[in-house]
Amino acid sequence: MRKVDYYEILQIIKRSGENGILQSNLWKEIKATSKEGSRITLKLVRSGLIRRKRELYRGKWTYRLIPEKLPVNFDSLFDLPCTFCPDQERCGETKYITPEKCEKLTSYLMKNVKE
Amino acid sequence: MVLMDESLLYKVALKIGGDEAVKIVGELKKRGKATEEELAKTTGIRLNEIRKILIRLHNFSLVTSENVQDPQSGWLIFYWRLQEDQLQSIIKAQKRRILEKLKARLEFEKTHDFFFCNDKHCGRYTFEEAVENFFRCPQCGGTLQHFDNSKIIEFLEKKVESLKEELEHE
């Protein structure tokens, strides 16, 4: 039997977002048989990484696999000047640069409220 | 099957070190591990620039280095490799850190009155700083006027809330 990468499978389920993915669609994507697929998904359910929701699909009862945690979103950080700022280690309440007075952050805020 | 959303890796590299960091990360992804000289040769980026970018990537844990002793010369060779498996936790750590910074800024905006120099946009001053300068701009001497920061507060509140929510569900 081929080696199963649970991490990869979990990433596919996570990428499906809040609505999750039908287990039959997941098995097709990972090219697994229903027996293999069930074994994998049950392991992920027992580990608390995903949950299963019973669903009637095309007249048959199946399960929808929903991730307990969503994949990290980087888009919300991308435009912020603080993200991976080279001065991050020097920035803090008692440090040389403070979030209260940071000019990069001020320019960013001014630009965003003008738009 | 793709192990991880590759675009996420390149977005992080772009934010850390610009287009050149993307090239370096792409090369490391292809090769698995590489020396600075190998990276310079294949990317066409100058060696000192490669080092600077690798250090920045290393500071944020996106790459790691390992020393191997050359059996012939006895010299140490530095190999760099990606830490792709750390990507999700790197982003989450950034998010937590930035959330604290934005919270601090929000508190500052809420508890202070601001003044600005309308004519030349020299900067923004707190009430205390404006009083010290007799409501004159310390840079150009223009009259300081009250600055309404309600939109900044509103923007920061939204950002803080959305980051908090994301952290709860990721």
Side-chain angles (χ1 to χ4, degrees), chain B residues 85-130:
Chain B
D85 53 337
Q86 300 291 315
L87 191 59
Q88 306 259 335
S89 48
I90 291 169
I91 296 171
K92 270 201 228 172
Q94 276 293 303
K95 210 170 266 185
R96 274 193 288 270
R97 195 176 252 203
I98 289 163
L99 178 61
E100 290 313 309
K101 291 191 195 297
L102 294 186
K103 273 187 192 168
R105 180 65 183 244
L106 177 60
E107 189 57 26
F108 183 69
E109 294 287 335
K110 277 182 173 174
T111 53
H112 287 78
D113 268 317
F114 295 94
F115 289 81
F116 78 117
C117 171
N118 198 20
D119 294 338
K120 300 192 176 179
H121 297 283
C122 299
R124 214 171 59 130
Y125 306 95
T126 60
F127 175 73
E128 293 76 12
E129 287 164 339

Side-chain angles (χ1 to χ4, degrees), chain B residues 46-97:
Chain B
R46 280 167 46 207
L47 196 58
N48 59 349
E49 203 54 39
I50 293 259
R51 283 189 187 128
K52 264 191 222 167
I53 294 167
L54 282 171
I55 287 166
R56 286 203 64 194
L57 294 169
H58 185 256
N59 287 343
F60 291 109
S61 309
L62 197 62
V63 297
T64 183
S65 65
E66 75 183 45
N67 314 336
V68 178
Q69 195 166 26
D70 187 350
Q72 286 170 342
S73 64
W75 286 73
L76 281 177
I77 305 169
F78 282 84
Y79 282 105
W80 293 89
R81 64 169 76 240
L82 278 177
Q83 295 206 102
E84 252 187 288
D85 53 337
Q86 300 291 315
L87 191 59
Q88 306 259 335
S89 48
I90 291 169
I91 296 171
K92 270 201 228 172
Q94 276 293 303
K95 210 170 266 185
R96 274 193 288 270
R97 195 176 252 203

Side-chain angles (χ1 to χ4, degrees), chain A residues 2-31:
Chain A
R2 70 196 173 98
K3 199 176 162 244
V4 179
D5 191 333
Y6 290 95
Y7 181 77
E8 275 186 39
I9 294 159
L10 181 62
Q11 293 313 308
I12 296 171
I13 300 170
K14 275 189 169 189
R15 278 203 293 271
S16 67
E18 286 173 10
N19 294 331
I21 184 171
L22 279 175
Q23 63 177 18
S24 50
N25 291 346
L26 173 73
W27 297 342
K28 264 183 226 160
E29 199 168 329
I30 62 170
K31 294 184 182 80

Side-chain angles (χ1 to χ4, degrees), chain A residues 70 73 75 78 88 101, chain B residues 11 15 95 97 129 169:
Chain A
L70 292 172
N73 175 22
D75 294 338
F78 194 78
Q88 217 167 64
K101 292 272 179 172
Chain B
K11 265 188 201 171
K15 189 71 183 169
K95 210 170 266 185
R97 195 176 252 203
E129 287 164 339
H169 294 101

